[in-house]
């Protein structure tokens, strides 16, 4: 069992405040390994996401709840060895108890959480919560998960959430919904939560069926989704490839309600579109690349596109990130590295502990050295903002367009 926490320290090398992800891994020996991965939409609010997974999966989230990049973690064990004159007994892995899981979650928040201004968290109140929670035994893993959910909810941070092992595993997929939409929980003026479509695969099943960005999702196969989380509804949307799901959506705040049948498609499609454009009255040419989202294919297909355009004589590159709400955050980090010189910063974080700072840098020469223009607009978010900021801050690209999406605290 691994416990992963995503947390955003307050300071980032981005032009606007950004959510930062710190991943902590609890292995079967209760040894914590700290890894840092960048995640979430541009925001001034701290966000902590606690995830439980099997040891074979380690992933991170982006602001679009759509997707996650998995990483592998090595686990060492001692095996019984029979030698000529003696036998070394194997050391059994220490069992992670229900109480232990809850306590580790509590400790990560205690070590890393930064109040985003709601004045609901103090070290004293958090210590009291630990004593209250661990005063009795926790009989089941499901009960432990429920305690963690309630514990995190008490922080008052809307970007803090818990994912069960089943929910965590779904995030390793190309499309967590199965129909190419990205759902967000948006509070209305009465404080009730609505589920809205804030991201779409532009050539995905939902978009082709008539779903549009900003639509409110009302029901799935006749089941009212009011009060359900984005992850719960994503589970309702999922099903076998090429089967159909009927959703009811409302266009805009006051628009008509439509019942739409959408065919699921679980096969990953490339998010990269590219072409070579000749510059008028010049022998030079421009390699135009549109990146729709950061999915499991993004980096690989972007590399292919850049190499082909370069081979065909591209003197300049345009990377179009307009309407790209993000996806796999690690893909954003790795794509940033494709343009940067070895040692240049992609991003760095500073946590509550002033001694803790982590920097992610490019680790090889750039794939291309030609000038780059990055196109952005008000729907450029999350991993897209990571790429745009990293290239801009390192004087590697010129940003053209509108202020990017960001997120208010």
């Amino acid at each position: 069992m691994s416990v992963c926490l995503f947390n955003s320290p307050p300071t980032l090398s981005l032009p606007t405040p950004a959510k930062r992800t710190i991943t902590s891994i609890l292995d079967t020996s209760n040894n914590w390994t700290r890894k840092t991965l960048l995640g979430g939409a541009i925001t001034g609010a701290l966000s902590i996401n606690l995830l439980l997974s099997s040891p074979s999966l380690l992933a991170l989230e982006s602001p679009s709840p759509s997707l996650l990049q998995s990483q592998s973690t090595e686990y060492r064990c001692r095996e019984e060895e029979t030698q000529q004159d003696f036998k070394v007994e194997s050391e059994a892995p220490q069992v992670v108890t229900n109480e232990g899981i809850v306590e580790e979650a509590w400790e990560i928040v205690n070590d890393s959480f930064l109040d985003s201004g709601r004045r609901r968290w103090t070290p004293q109140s958090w210590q009291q919560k630990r004593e209250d929670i661990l005063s009795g035994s926790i009989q089941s893993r499901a009960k432990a998960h429920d305690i963690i959910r309630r514990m995190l909810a008490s922080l008052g941070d809307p970007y803090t959430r818990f994912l069960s092992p089943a929910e965590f595993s779904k995030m390793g997929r190309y499309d967590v919904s199965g129909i190419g939409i990205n759902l967000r929980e948006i509070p209305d003026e009465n404080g009730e939560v609505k589920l809205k479509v804030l991201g779409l695969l532009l050539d995905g099943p939902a978009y082709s069926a008539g779903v549009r960005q900003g639509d409110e999702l009302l029901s799935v196969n006749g089941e009212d989704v009011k009060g359900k989380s984005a992850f719960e509804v994503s589970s309702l949307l999922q099903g076998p490839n090429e089967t159909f799901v009927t959703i009811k959506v409302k266009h805009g705040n006051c628009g008509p309600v439509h019942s739409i049948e959408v065919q699921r498609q679980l096969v990953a499609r490339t998010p990269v579109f590219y072409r070579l454009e000749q510059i008028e009255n010049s022998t030079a040419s421009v390699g135009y690349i549109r990146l729709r989202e950061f999915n499991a294919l993004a980096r690989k297909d972007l590399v292919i596109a850049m190499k082909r355009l370069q081979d065909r004589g591209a003197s300049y590159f345009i990377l179009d990130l307009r309407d790209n709400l993000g996806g796999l955050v690690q893909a954003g980090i790795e794509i940033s590295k494709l343009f940067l010189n070895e040692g240049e910063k992609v991003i760095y974080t500073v946590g509550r502990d002033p001694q803790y700072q982590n920097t992610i840098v490019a680790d090889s020469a750039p794939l291309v050295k030609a000038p780059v223009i990055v196109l952005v607009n008000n729907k450029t978010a999350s991993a897209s903002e990571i790429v745009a900021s990293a290239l801009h801050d390192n004087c590697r690209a010129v940003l053209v367009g509108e202020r990017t999406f960001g997120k208010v605290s």
Side-chain angles (χ1 to χ4, degrees), residues 132-197:
D132 294 342
I133 289 173
L134 298 177
S135 60
S137 63
I138 303 173
Q139 298 300 320
S140 68
R141 191 56 50 91
K143 180 66 174 178
H145 292 176
D146 184 59
I147 289 173
I148 294 172
R149 286 189 185 94
R150 289 187 280 109
M151 181 173 67
L152 297 180
S154 71
L155 296 171
D157 184 348
Y159 307 113
T160 297
R161 61 179 161 182
F162 168 85
L163 300 180
S164 69
E167 290 169 329
F168 183 88
S169 65
K170 291 173 185 175
M171 297 189 72
R173 290 173 44 171
Y174 160 74
D175 171 16
V176 76
S177 72
I179 62 172
I181 65 173
N182 175 4
L183 293 173
R184 294 284 186 83
E185 300 167 18
I186 306 294
D188 61 15
E189 61 277 3
N190 299 319
E192 296 183 351
V193 174
K194 297 180 179 180
L195 291 179
K196 288 201 171 185
V197 178

Side-chain angles (χ1 to χ4, degrees), residues 13 40 83 94 105 108 111 113 155 184 199 211 238 252 258 271 274 315 320 322-323 343 348 350 380 400 402 407:
S13 60
Q83 298 187 5
Q94 189 173 357
I108 295 172
D111 292 342
F113 185 74
L155 296 171
R184 294 284 186 83
V211 179
Q238 292 171 358
H258 295 280
Y274 65 96
S315 304
D320 192 347
R322 292 175 298 179
D323 299 321
Y348 74 90
V350 178
T380 299
V400 177
E402 305 172 282
K407 181 182 273 188

Side-chain angles (χ1 to χ4, degrees), residues 25-26 56 59 65 69 71 101 112 131 158 173 188-189 196-197 206 238 243 287 339 362 391 397:
I25 310 158
L26 174 64
S56 62
Q69 173 81 26
Q71 292 190 339
I101 289 175
S112 306
E131 294 173 4
R173 290 173 44 171
D188 61 15
E189 61 277 3
K196 288 201 171 185
V197 178
Q238 292 171 358
T243 59
F339 296 90
L391 270 59

Side-chain angles (χ1 to χ4, degrees), residues 316-366:
Y316 308 90
F317 285 90
I318 294 176
L319 179 60
D320 192 347
L321 298 178
R322 292 175 298 179
D323 299 321
N324 185 329
L325 284 173
L328 300 181
V329 177
Q330 188 64 20
I333 294 174
E334 297 304 320
I335 285 173
S336 298
K337 293 179 180 179
L338 295 176
F339 296 90
L340 302 180
N341 295 310
E342 183 175 359
E344 290 183 330
K345 291 180 182 179
V346 177
I347 198 162
Y348 74 90
T349 61
V350 178
R352 191 167 68 193
D353 183 350
Q355 295 183 341
Y356 176 80
Q357 176 174 319
N358 187 76
T359 302
I360 298 176
V361 300
D363 48 18
S364 62

Side-chain angles (χ1 to χ4, degrees), residues 86-108:
F86 63 93
K87 180 178 180 181
V88 179
E89 295 293 335
S90 63
E91 181 178 315
Q94 189 173 357
V95 176
V96 180
T97 64
N98 297 325
E99 291 80 5
I101 289 175
V102 173
E103 186 164 17
E104 292 290 1
W106 180 92
E107 287 177 355
I108 295 172

